[in-house]
Each structure stands twice: as C-alpha cells, then as structure tokens.
Amino acid sequence: MTDRAFLVQMEGYGLTTAEICYYMPDHPSLLQIFAWQEYDAAPDFPVLFDFLDHWRREIQVEIRSVRIAHEKMLRPANWRSADGVISWE
C-alpha cells in the first residue's frame, strides 16, 4: 500500500498550512483562530478554497483573514555538518 502523502506530492501538491481568523455572526467581538493543514496545489489552493467555501456555507462564519504557508516537500535532501556539542545539564 502506497502512502497517500507521497502520491499527492508526486502530483505536485505540497503541504499547506493556513491560519484562519474568524468570528461567528452572533459573537462579532470574539475573534477565533483555526489552524488547517492539508496537501494542496499552489498558487490556486483548490483544496483550501473548497474548505473555506464549505465553512462559509455550512457553518456561517465571517472570515476575517487567512495566512497561508506552503512547502513542496518532495526534493533532494539538504544537510550541513555542525561542529559542537550540545549538553543538557
């Protein structure tokens, strides 16, 4: 069985994280934050926008802002050596 995350990365999707600031219409003074994470395709973000449309339609929230971070994770590994010792005392 192949991992779903690997398959979607092979199709060009990358891990997308969104910070959604919203409030409920009956409590406009209470701003809330929701963190969402899924594999999505930049720059159109169809999975995220489908999720936001569902929220607006079914949950009836007022979305104030959305911050998006996106990373294509499938790439050659990068590493560098570090000189030093970390000790926990």
Side-chain angles (χ1 to χ4, degrees):
M1 188 164 130
T2 306
D3 185 28
R4 176 189 167 274
F6 177 73
L7 291 176
V8 296
Q9 288 178 64
M10 292 299 292
E11 294 173 4
Y13 283 60
L15 189 62
T16 302
T17 304
E19 177 190 81
I20 305 164
C21 294
Y22 69 97
Y23 62 89
M24 304 298 277
D26 52 343
H27 298 286
S29 63
L30 180 61
L31 186 64
Q32 299 182 63
I33 297 175
F34 180 79
W36 176 90
Q37 194 170 56
E38 184 61 65
Y39 287 95
D40 206 350
D44 297 328
F45 300 107
V47 179
L48 174 60
F49 287 118
D50 283 347
F51 174 76
L52 294 174
D53 287 341
H54 171 77
W55 250 32
R56 286 186 194 107
R57 203 175 47 252
E58 302 298 325
I59 302 176
Q60 299 173 352
V61 298
E62 297 291 331
I63 296 174
R64 181 171 179 191
S65 66
V66 178
R67 289 194 322 169
I68 302 170
H70 176 79
E71 177 66 31
K72 285 198 171 198
M73 298 183 71
L74 194 61
R75 63 180 182 267
N78 293 324
W79 71 276
R80 62 184 175 137
S81 62
D83 291 330
V85 176
I86 299 173
S87 61
W88 300 91
E89 294 184 37

Coordinates of all heavy atoms in Angstrom, one line a residue:
M1 N 0.8 -1.2 0.0 CA 0.0 0.0 0.0 C 0.9 1.2 0.0 O 1.8 1.4 0.8 CB -0.9 0.0 1.2 CG -1.9 1.1 1.2 SD -3.2 0.7 2.4 CE -3.2 2.2 3.3
T2 N 0.6 2.2 -0.9 CA 1.4 3.4 -1.0 C 0.8 4.5 -0.2 O -0.4 4.7 -0.1 CB 1.5 3.8 -2.5 OG1 1.9 2.7 -3.3 CG2 2.4 5.0 -2.7
D3 N 1.7 5.3 0.4 CA 1.3 6.4 1.3 C 0.6 7.5 0.5 O 1.1 7.9 -0.5 CB 2.5 6.9 2.0 CG 2.2 8.0 3.0 OD1 1.1 8.0 3.6 OD2 3.0 8.8 3.3
R4 N -0.6 7.9 0.9 CA -1.3 9.0 0.2 C -0.5 10.3 0.1 O -0.5 10.9 -0.9 CB -2.6 9.3 1.0 CG -3.4 10.4 0.4 CD -4.6 10.8 1.3 NE -5.2 12.1 0.9 CZ -4.7 13.3 1.3 NH1 -3.7 13.4 2.1 NH2 -5.3 14.4 0.8
A5 N 0.2 10.6 1.2 CA 1.0 11.9 1.2 C 2.1 11.8 0.1 O 2.3 12.8 -0.6 CB 1.7 12.1 2.5
F6 N 2.7 10.7 -0.1 CA 3.7 10.5 -1.2 C 3.1 10.7 -2.5 O 3.6 11.4 -3.4 CB 4.4 9.2 -1.0 CG 5.4 8.9 -2.1 CD1 6.6 9.6 -2.1 CD2 5.1 8.0 -3.1 CE1 7.5 9.4 -3.1 CE2 6.1 7.8 -4.1 CZ 7.3 8.5 -4.1
L7 N 1.9 10.1 -2.7 CA 1.2 10.1 -4.0 C 0.8 11.5 -4.4 O 1.1 12.0 -5.6 CB 0.0 9.2 -4.0 CG 0.3 7.7 -4.0 CD1 -1.0 6.9 -3.9 CD2 1.1 7.3 -5.2
V8 N 0.3 12.3 -3.5 CA -0.1 13.7 -3.8 C 1.1 14.6 -4.0 O 1.0 15.5 -4.9 CB -1.1 14.3 -2.8 CG1 -2.4 13.5 -2.7 CG2 -0.5 14.4 -1.4
Q9 N 2.2 14.3 -3.4 CA 3.4 15.1 -3.6 C 3.9 14.8 -5.0 O 4.5 15.7 -5.7 CB 4.5 14.7 -2.6 CG 4.2 15.3 -1.2 CD 5.2 15.0 -0.2 OE1 6.4 15.3 -0.3 NE2 4.8 14.2 0.8
M10 N 3.8 13.6 -5.5 CA 4.2 13.2 -6.8 C 3.4 13.9 -7.9 O 3.8 14.1 -9.0 CB 4.2 11.7 -7.0 CG 5.2 10.9 -6.2 SD 6.9 11.4 -6.6 CE 7.0 10.7 -8.2
E11 N 2.2 14.3 -7.5 CA 1.3 15.0 -8.4 C 1.5 16.5 -8.3 O 0.7 17.3 -9.0 CB -0.2 14.7 -8.1 CG -0.5 13.2 -8.4 CD -1.9 12.9 -7.9 OE1 -2.7 13.8 -7.4 OE2 -2.3 11.7 -8.0
G12 N 2.4 17.0 -7.6 CA 2.7 18.4 -7.5 C 2.1 19.1 -6.3 O 2.3 20.3 -6.2
Y13 N 1.5 18.4 -5.4 CA 0.9 19.0 -4.2 C 2.0 19.2 -3.2 O 2.9 18.4 -3.1 CB -0.2 18.2 -3.7 CG -1.5 18.3 -4.4 CD1 -1.6 18.0 -5.8 CD2 -2.7 18.8 -3.8 CE1 -2.8 18.1 -6.5 CE2 -3.9 18.9 -4.5 CZ -3.9 18.6 -5.9 OH -5.1 18.7 -6.5
G14 N 1.8 20.2 -2.3 CA 2.8 20.4 -1.2 C 2.0 20.6 0.1 O 0.8 21.0 0.0
L15 N 2.6 20.5 1.2 CA 1.9 20.7 2.5 C 1.6 22.1 2.6 O 2.4 23.0 2.5 CB 2.8 20.2 3.6 CG 2.1 20.2 5.0 CD1 1.0 19.2 5.0 CD2 3.1 19.8 6.1
T16 N 0.3 22.4 2.9 CA -0.2 23.8 3.0 C -0.7 23.9 4.4 O -1.5 23.1 4.9 CB -1.3 24.0 2.0 OG1 -0.8 23.8 0.7 CG2 -1.8 25.5 2.1
T17 N -0.4 25.0 5.1 CA -0.9 25.3 6.4 C -1.6 26.7 6.3 O -1.0 27.6 5.8 CB 0.2 25.4 7.5 OG1 0.9 24.1 7.5 CG2 -0.3 25.6 8.9
A18 N -2.8 26.8 6.9 CA -3.5 28.0 6.8 C -3.9 28.4 8.3 O -4.4 27.5 9.0 CB -4.7 27.9 6.0
E19 N -3.7 29.7 8.6 CA -4.2 30.2 9.9 C -5.4 31.0 9.5 O -5.3 32.1 8.8 CB -3.1 31.1 10.5 CG -3.6 31.7 11.8 CD -2.6 32.8 12.3 OE1 -2.7 33.9 11.7 OE2 -1.8 32.4 13.2
I20 N -6.6 30.6 10.0 CA -7.9 31.2 9.6 C -8.4 32.0 10.8 O -8.7 31.4 11.9 CB -8.9 30.2 9.2 CG1 -8.3 29.4 8.0 CG2 -10.2 30.8 8.8 CD1 -9.0 28.1 7.7
C21 N -8.5 33.3 10.7 CA -9.1 34.1 11.8 C -10.5 34.4 11.4 O -10.8 34.8 10.3 CB -8.3 35.5 11.9 SG -6.6 35.3 12.5
Y22 N -11.4 34.1 12.3 CA -12.8 34.2 12.0 C -13.6 34.6 13.3 O -13.1 34.5 14.4 CB -13.4 32.9 11.4 CG -13.4 31.8 12.5 CD1 -14.6 31.5 13.1 CD2 -12.3 31.0 12.8 CE1 -14.6 30.5 14.1 CE2 -12.3 30.0 13.7 CZ -13.5 29.7 14.4 OH -13.5 28.8 15.3
Y23 N -14.9 34.9 13.0 CA -15.8 35.1 14.2 C -17.2 34.7 13.7 O -17.5 34.6 12.5 CB -15.8 36.6 14.7 CG -16.3 37.6 13.6 CD1 -17.6 37.9 13.5 CD2 -15.3 38.2 12.8 CE1 -18.0 38.9 12.6 CE2 -15.7 39.2 11.9 CZ -17.1 39.5 11.8 OH -17.5 40.4 10.8
M24 N -18.0 34.3 14.7 CA -19.4 33.9 14.4 C -20.2 35.2 14.3 O -20.0 36.1 15.1 CB -19.9 33.0 15.5 CG -19.0 31.8 15.8 SD -18.9 30.7 14.4 CE -20.4 29.8 14.6
P25 N -21.2 35.3 13.5 CA -22.0 36.5 13.3 C -22.7 36.9 14.6 O -22.9 38.1 14.8 CB -23.0 36.1 12.2 CG -22.4 35.0 11.4 CD -21.5 34.3 12.4
D26 N -23.1 35.9 15.4 CA -23.8 36.3 16.7 C -22.8 36.7 17.8 O -23.2 37.1 18.9 CB -24.7 35.2 17.1 CG -24.0 33.8 17.2 OD1 -22.9 33.7 16.6 OD2 -24.6 32.9 17.8
H27 N -21.5 36.6 17.6 CA -20.5 37.0 18.6 C -19.3 37.7 17.8 O -18.2 37.2 17.8 CB -19.9 35.7 19.3 CG -20.9 35.0 20.1 ND1 -21.4 35.5 21.3 CD2 -21.5 33.8 19.9 CE1 -22.3 34.6 21.8 NE2 -22.4 33.6 20.9
P28 N -19.6 38.9 17.3 CA -18.6 39.5 16.5 C -17.4 40.0 17.3 O -16.3 40.3 16.7 CB -19.3 40.7 15.8 CG -20.5 40.9 16.7 CD -20.8 39.6 17.3
S29 N -17.5 40.2 18.6 CA -16.4 40.6 19.3 C -15.4 39.5 19.7 O -14.3 39.8 20.3 CB -16.9 41.4 20.6 OG -17.6 40.5 21.4
L30 N -15.7 38.3 19.4 CA -14.9 37.2 19.8 C -14.2 36.6 18.5 O -14.7 35.8 17.8 CB -15.7 36.0 20.4 CG -15.0 34.8 20.9 CD1 -13.9 35.1 21.9 CD2 -16.0 33.8 21.4
L31 N -12.9 37.0 18.3 CA -12.1 36.6 17.2 C -11.5 35.3 17.6 O -10.9 35.1 18.6 CB -11.1 37.6 16.9 CG -10.3 37.4 15.6 CD1 -11.2 37.4 14.4 CD2 -9.2 38.4 15.5
Q32 N -11.6 34.3 16.7 CA -11.1 33.0 16.9 C -10.1 32.6 15.8 O -10.2 33.1 14.7 CB -12.2 31.9 17.0 CG -13.2 32.2 18.1 CD -14.3 31.2 18.2 OE1 -14.0 30.0 18.4 NE2 -15.5 31.6 18.0
I33 N -9.2 31.7 16.1 CA -8.2 31.3 15.1 C -8.2 29.7 15.0 O -8.3 29.0 16.0 CB -6.7 31.7 15.6 CG1 -6.6 33.2 15.6 CG2 -5.7 31.1 14.6 CD1 -5.3 33.7 16.2
F34 N -8.2 29.3 13.8 CA -8.3 27.9 13.4 C -7.1 27.6 12.6 O -6.8 28.3 11.6 CB -9.6 27.5 12.7 CG -9.7 26.1 12.3 CD1 -10.1 25.2 13.3 CD2 -9.4 25.7 11.0 CE1 -10.2 23.8 12.9 CE2 -9.6 24.3 10.7 CZ -10.0 23.4 11.6
A35 N -6.3 26.5 12.9 CA -5.2 26.1 12.1 C -5.6 24.9 11.2 O -6.2 23.9 11.7 CB -4.0 25.7 12.9
W36 N -5.4 25.0 9.9 CA -5.8 24.0 8.9 C -4.5 23.5 8.2 O -3.7 24.3 7.9 CB -6.8 24.6 8.0 CG -7.2 23.7 6.9 CD1 -8.3 22.9 6.8 CD2 -6.7 23.6 5.5 NE1 -8.4 22.3 5.6 CE2 -7.4 22.7 4.8 CE3 -5.5 24.2 4.9 CZ2 -7.1 22.4 3.5 CZ3 -5.2 23.9 3.6 CH2 -6.0 23.0 2.9
Q37 N -4.4 22.2 8.0 CA -3.3 21.7 7.3 C -3.7 20.5 6.4 O -4.4 19.6 6.8 CB -2.2 21.2 8.2 CG -0.9 21.0 7.6 CD 0.2 20.8 8.7 OE1 0.1 19.9 9.5 NE2 1.3 21.6 8.6
E38 N -3.3 20.6 5.1 CA -3.6 19.6 4.1 C -2.6 19.7 2.9 O -2.0 20.8 2.8 CB -5.1 19.8 3.7 CG -5.6 18.7 2.7 CD -5.6 17.3 3.3 OE1 -6.3 17.1 4.3 OE2 -4.8 16.5 2.8
Y39 N -2.6 18.7 2.1 CA -1.8 18.8 0.9 C -2.6 19.6 -0.2 O -3.8 19.3 -0.4 CB -1.4 17.4 0.4 CG -0.3 16.8 1.2 CD1 -0.6 16.0 2.3 CD2 1.0 17.2 1.0 CE1 0.4 15.4 3.1 CE2 2.0 16.7 1.8 CZ 1.7 15.8 2.8 OH 2.7 15.3 3.6
D40 N -2.0 20.6 -0.8 CA -2.7 21.4 -1.7 C -1.8 21.9 -2.8 O -0.6 21.8 -2.7 CB -3.4 22.6 -1.0 CG -4.6 23.1 -1.7 OD1 -4.9 22.7 -2.9 OD2 -5.3 24.0 -1.1
A41 N -2.3 22.4 -3.9 CA -1.5 22.9 -5.0 C -1.5 24.4 -5.1 O -2.5 25.0 -5.2 CB -2.1 22.3 -6.3
A42 N -0.3 24.9 -4.9 CA -0.1 26.4 -5.1 C 0.0 26.7 -6.5 O 0.5 25.9 -7.3 CB 1.2 26.8 -4.3
P43 N -0.3 27.9 -7.0 CA -0.8 29.0 -6.2 C -2.3 29.1 -6.1 O -2.9 30.1 -5.5 CB -0.2 30.2 -7.0 CG -0.3 29.8 -8.4 CD 0.0 28.3 -8.3
D44 N -3.0 28.2 -6.7 CA -4.5 28.3 -6.7 C -5.2 27.8 -5.4 O -6.3 28.2 -5.1 CB -5.1 27.5 -7.9 CG -4.6 28.1 -9.2 OD1 -4.4 29.3 -9.3 OD2 -4.4 27.4 -10.2
F45 N -4.6 26.8 -4.7 CA -5.0 26.3 -3.5 C -6.5 25.8 -3.6 O -7.4 26.2 -2.8 CB -4.9 27.3 -2.3 CG -3.5 27.6 -2.1 CD1 -3.0 28.9 -2.4 CD2 -2.6 26.8 -1.5 CE1 -1.7 29.3 -2.2 CE2 -1.2 27.1 -1.3 CZ -0.8 28.4 -1.7
P46 N -6.8 24.9 -4.5 CA -8.2 24.4 -4.6 C -8.8 23.7 -3.4 O -10.0 23.9 -3.1 CB -8.2 23.5 -5.8 CG -6.8 23.0 -5.9 CD -5.9 24.2 -5.4
V47 N -8.0 23.0 -2.7 CA -8.4 22.2 -1.5 C -8.8 23.2 -0.4 O -9.8 23.1 0.3 CB -7.4 21.2 -1.0 CG1 -7.9 20.5 0.2 CG2 -7.1 20.2 -2.2
L48 N -7.9 24.2 -0.2 CA -8.2 25.2 0.9 C -9.4 26.0 0.6 O -10.3 26.2 1.4 CB -6.9 26.1 1.0 CG -7.1 27.3 2.0 CD1 -7.5 26.9 3.4 CD2 -5.9 28.2 1.9
F49 N -9.6 26.5 -0.7 CA -10.7 27.3 -1.0 C -12.0 26.5 -1.0 O -13.1 27.1 -0.6 CB -10.5 28.0 -2.4 CG -9.5 29.1 -2.3 CD1 -8.3 29.1 -3.0 CD2 -9.7 30.2 -1.4 CE1 -7.4 30.1 -2.9 CE2 -8.8 31.2 -1.3 CZ -7.6 31.2 -2.1
D50 N -12.0 25.2 -1.3 CA -13.2 24.4 -1.1 C -13.5 24.3 0.4 O -14.7 24.4 0.7 CB -12.9 23.0 -1.7 CG -13.0 22.9 -3.2 OD1 -13.5 23.9 -3.8 OD2 -12.6 21.9 -3.7
F51 N -12.5 24.2 1.2 CA -12.8 24.1 2.7 C -13.4 25.4 3.2 O -14.3 25.4 3.9 CB -11.4 23.8 3.4 CG -11.6 23.9 4.9 CD1 -12.1 22.8 5.6 CD2 -11.1 25.0 5.6 CE1 -12.3 22.9 7.0 CE2 -11.2 25.0 7.0 CZ -11.8 24.0 7.7
L52 N -12.8 26.6 2.7 CA -13.3 27.9 3.2 C -14.7 28.1 2.6 O -15.6 28.6 3.4 CB -12.4 29.0 2.7 CG -11.0 29.0 3.3 CD1 -10.1 30.1 2.6 CD2 -11.1 29.2 4.8
D53 N -15.0 27.7 1.4 CA -16.4 27.8 0.9 C -17.4 27.0 1.7 O -18.5 27.4 2.0 CB -16.5 27.4 -0.6 CG -15.8 28.4 -1.5 OD1 -15.7 29.5 -1.1 OD2 -15.5 28.0 -2.6
H54 N -17.0 25.8 2.1 CA -17.8 24.9 2.9 C -18.1 25.6 4.3 O -19.2 25.6 4.8 CB -17.1 23.5 3.2 CG -17.8 22.7 4.2 ND1 -19.0 22.0 3.9 CD2 -17.5 22.4 5.5 CE1 -19.3 21.4 5.0 NE2 -18.5 21.6 5.9
W55 N -17.0 26.2 4.9 CA -17.2 26.9 6.2 C -18.2 28.0 6.0 O -19.1 28.2 6.9 CB -15.8 27.4 6.6 CG -15.3 26.7 7.8 CD1 -15.4 25.4 8.1 CD2 -14.4 27.3 8.7 NE1 -14.7 25.2 9.2 CE2 -14.1 26.3 9.6 CE3 -13.9 28.6 8.9 CZ2 -13.3 26.6 10.7 CZ3 -13.1 28.9 10.0 CH2 -12.8 27.8 10.9
R56 N -18.0 28.8 5.0 CA -19.0 30.0 4.8 C -20.4 29.5 4.6 O -21.3 30.1 5.1 CB -18.5 30.8 3.6 CG -17.3 31.6 3.9 CD -17.0 32.6 2.7 NE -15.7 33.1 2.8 CZ -14.7 32.8 2.0 NH1 -14.9 31.8 1.1 NH2 -13.5 33.3 2.2
R57 N -20.6 28.4 3.9 CA -21.9 27.9 3.5 C -22.5 27.2 4.7 O -23.7 27.4 5.0 CB -21.7 27.0 2.3 CG -23.0 26.8 1.5 CD -22.7 26.0 0.2 NE -21.9 24.8 0.5 CZ -20.6 24.6 0.1 NH1 -20.0 25.6 -0.5 NH2 -20.0 23.5 0.3
E58 N -21.8 26.3 5.3 CA -22.4 25.3 6.3 C -22.3 25.8 7.7 O -23.2 25.5 8.6 CB -21.8 24.0 6.2 CG -21.9 23.3 4.8 CD -23.4 23.1 4.4 OE1 -24.2 22.8 5.3 OE2 -23.6 23.2 3.2
I59 N -21.2 26.5 8.1 CA -21.0 26.9 9.5 C -21.4 28.4 9.7 O -21.6 28.8 10.8 CB -19.6 26.7 9.9 CG1 -19.2 25.2 9.7 CG2 -19.3 27.1 11.3 CD1 -17.8 24.8 10.0
Q60 N -21.5 29.1 8.6 CA -21.9 30.5 8.6 C -21.0 31.4 9.5 O -21.4 32.0 10.5 CB -23.3 30.7 9.0 CG -24.3 30.0 8.1 CD -25.7 30.0 8.5 OE1 -26.0 30.3 9.7 NE2 -26.6 29.5 7.7
V61 N -19.7 31.4 9.2 CA -18.7 32.2 9.9 C -18.3 33.4 9.0 O -18.5 33.3 7.8 CB -17.4 31.4 10.3 CG1 -17.8 30.2 11.2 CG2 -16.7 30.9 9.0
E62 N -17.9 34.4 9.7 CA -17.3 35.6 9.0 C -15.8 35.4 9.0 O -15.2 35.5 10.1 CB -17.8 36.9 9.6 CG -19.2 37.1 9.6 CD -19.8 37.3 8.2 OE1 -19.0 37.9 7.3 OE2 -20.9 37.0 7.9
I63 N -15.1 35.2 7.9 CA -13.7 35.0 7.9 C -13.0 36.4 7.8 O -13.3 37.1 6.9 CB -13.3 34.1 6.8 CG1 -13.9 32.7 7.0 CG2 -11.8 34.0 6.7 CD1 -13.6 31.7 5.9
R64 N -12.2 36.7 8.7 CA -11.5 38.0 8.7 C -10.2 38.0 7.9 O -9.9 38.9 7.2 CB -11.2 38.4 10.2 CG -10.6 39.7 10.2 CD -10.5 40.2 11.6 NE -9.8 41.5 11.6 CZ -9.4 42.1 12.7 NH1 -9.6 41.6 13.9 NH2 -8.8 43.3 12.7
S65 N -9.4 36.9 8.1 CA -8.2 36.8 7.4 C -7.7 35.3 7.3 O -8.1 34.5 8.1 CB -7.1 37.6 8.1 OG -6.7 37.1 9.3
V66 N -6.9 35.1 6.3 CA -6.3 33.7 6.1 C -4.8 33.9 5.8 O -4.5 34.7 4.8 CB -7.0 32.9 5.0 CG1 -6.3 31.6 4.8 CG2 -8.5 32.8 5.3
R67 N -3.9 33.3 6.5 CA -2.5 33.4 6.2 C -2.1 32.0 5.8 O -2.5 31.0 6.4 CB -1.7 33.8 7.4 CG -1.8 35.2 7.8 CD -0.8 35.7 8.8 NE -0.4 34.8 9.8 CZ 0.6 35.0 10.6 NH1 1.3 36.0 10.5 NH2 0.9 34.1 11.6
I68 N -1.4 31.9 4.7 CA -1.1 30.6 4.1 C 0.4 30.4 4.0 O 1.2 31.3 3.6 CB -1.6 30.5 2.6 CG1 -3.1 30.8 2.6 CG2 -1.3 29.2 2.0 CD1 -3.7 30.9 1.2
A69 N 0.9 29.2 4.4 CA 2.3 28.8 4.2 C 2.2 27.5 3.4 O 1.4 26.6 3.7 CB 2.9 28.5 5.6
H70 N 3.1 27.4 2.4 CA 3.1 26.2 1.5 C 4.5 25.7 1.3 O 5.4 26.5 1.1 CB 2.4 26.6 0.2 CG 2.5 25.5 -0.8 ND1 1.6 24.5 -0.8 CD2 3.3 25.3 -1.9 CE1 1.8 23.7 -1.8 NE2 2.8 24.2 -2.5
E71 N 4.7 24.4 1.3 CA 6.0 23.9 1.1 C 5.9 22.6 0.3 O 5.2 21.7 0.6 CB 6.7 23.5 2.4 CG 8.0 22.9 2.3 CD 9.1 23.8 1.8 OE1 9.0 25.0 1.9 OE2 10.0 23.2 1.1
K72 N 6.6 22.6 -0.9 CA 6.7 21.4 -1.6 C 7.8 20.5 -0.9 O 8.9 20.9 -0.8 CB 7.1 21.7 -3.1 CG 6.0 22.2 -3.9 CD 6.3 22.0 -5.3 CE 5.0 22.4 -6.1 NZ 5.0 21.9 -7.4
M73 N 7.4 19.4 -0.4 CA 8.3 18.7 0.5 C 9.1 17.7 -0.3 O 10.1 17.2 0.2 CB 7.4 18.0 1.5 CG 6.7 18.9 2.4 SD 5.8 18.1 3.7 CE 7.2 17.6 4.7
L74 N 8.8 17.3 -1.5 CA 9.5 16.3 -2.2 C 10.6 16.9 -3.0 O 10.4 17.6 -4.0 CB 8.5 15.5 -3.2 CG 9.0 14.3 -3.8 CD1 9.3 13.3 -2.7 CD2 8.0 13.7 -4.7
R75 N 11.8 16.8 -2.5 CA 13.0 17.4 -3.1 C 14.2 16.7 -2.6 O 14.2 16.0 -1.6 CB 13.1 18.9 -2.8 CG 13.2 19.2 -1.3 CD 13.2 20.7 -1.1 NE 13.4 21.0 0.3 CZ 12.5 21.2 1.1 NH1 11.2 21.2 0.7 NH2 12.7 21.5 2.4
P76 N 15.4 16.9 -3.2 CA 16.6 16.3 -2.7 C 16.9 16.8 -1.2 O 16.6 18.0 -0.9 CB 17.7 16.8 -3.6 CG 17.0 17.2 -4.8 CD 15.6 17.7 -4.4
A77 N 17.4 16.0 -0.4 CA 17.7 16.3 0.9 C 18.9 17.3 1.0 O 19.8 17.2 0.2 CB 18.0 15.1 1.8
N78 N 18.8 18.3 1.9 CA 19.8 19.2 2.2 C 20.3 19.0 3.6 O 19.5 18.8 4.5 CB 19.4 20.7 2.1 CG 19.0 21.0 0.7 OD1 19.6 20.6 -0.3 ND2 17.9 21.8 0.5
W79 N 21.6 19.0 3.8 CA 22.2 18.9 5.1 C 23.5 19.6 5.2 O 24.1 19.9 4.2 CB 22.3 17.4 5.5 CG 23.4 16.7 4.8 CD1 23.4 16.1 3.6 CD2 24.8 16.5 5.3 NE1 24.6 15.6 3.3 CE2 25.5 15.8 4.3 CE3 25.4 16.9 6.5 CZ2 26.8 15.5 4.5 CZ3 26.8 16.6 6.6 CH2 27.4 15.9 5.6
R80 N 23.9 19.9 6.4 CA 25.2 20.5 6.6 C 25.7 20.0 8.0 O 24.9 19.8 8.9 CB 25.2 22.0 6.6 CG 24.3 22.7 7.6 CD 24.2 24.2 7.4 NE 23.3 24.7 8.4 CZ 23.5 25.8 9.1 NH1 24.6 26.5 8.9 NH2 22.6 26.2 10.0
S81 N 27.0 19.9 8.0 CA 27.5 19.4 9.3 C 27.6 20.5 10.3 O 27.8 21.7 9.9 CB 28.9 18.7 9.1 OG 29.8 19.7 8.6
A82 N 27.5 20.2 11.5 CA 27.6 21.2 12.6 C 28.7 20.8 13.5 O 28.8 19.6 14.0 CB 26.3 21.3 13.3
D83 N 29.6 21.7 13.9 CA 30.7 21.4 14.8 C 30.2 21.9 16.2 O 29.6 23.0 16.3 CB 31.9 22.2 14.5 CG 32.5 21.6 13.2 OD1 32.4 20.4 12.9 OD2 33.2 22.4 12.4
G84 N 30.3 21.1 17.2 CA 30.0 21.5 18.5 C 29.2 20.3 19.2 O 28.8 19.3 18.7
V85 N 29.1 20.5 20.5 CA 28.4 19.6 21.4 C 27.3 20.3 22.1 O 27.5 21.4 22.7 CB 29.4 18.9 22.3 CG1 28.6 17.9 23.3 CG2 30.5 18.2 21.6
I86 N 26.1 19.7 22.2 CA 25.0 20.2 23.0 C 24.9 19.4 24.2 O 24.8 18.2 24.2 CB 23.7 20.2 22.2 CG1 23.8 21.1 21.0 CG2 22.6 20.7 23.1 CD1 22.6 21.0 20.0
S87 N 25.0 20.0 25.4 CA 24.9 19.2 26.6 C 23.8 19.8 27.4 O 23.5 21.0 27.5 CB 26.2 19.3 27.4 OG 26.5 20.7 27.8
W88 N 23.0 18.9 28.1 CA 21.9 19.2 28.9 C 22.3 19.0 30.4 O 22.6 17.9 30.8 CB 20.7 18.3 28.6 CG 20.3 18.4 27.2 CD1 20.7 17.7 26.1 CD2 19.4 19.4 26.6 NE1 20.1 18.1 25.0 CE2 19.3 19.1 25.2 CE3 18.6 20.4 27.2 CZ2 18.5 19.9 24.4 CZ3 17.8 21.1 26.3 CH2 17.7 20.9 25.0
E89 N 22.3 20.1 31.1 CA 22.7 20.0 32.5 C 21.6 20.6 33.4 O 21.0 21.4 33.1 CB 24.0 20.7 32.7 CG 25.2 19.9 32.0 CD 26.5 20.6 32.3 OE1 26.7 21.0 33.5 OE2 27.3 20.6 31.5

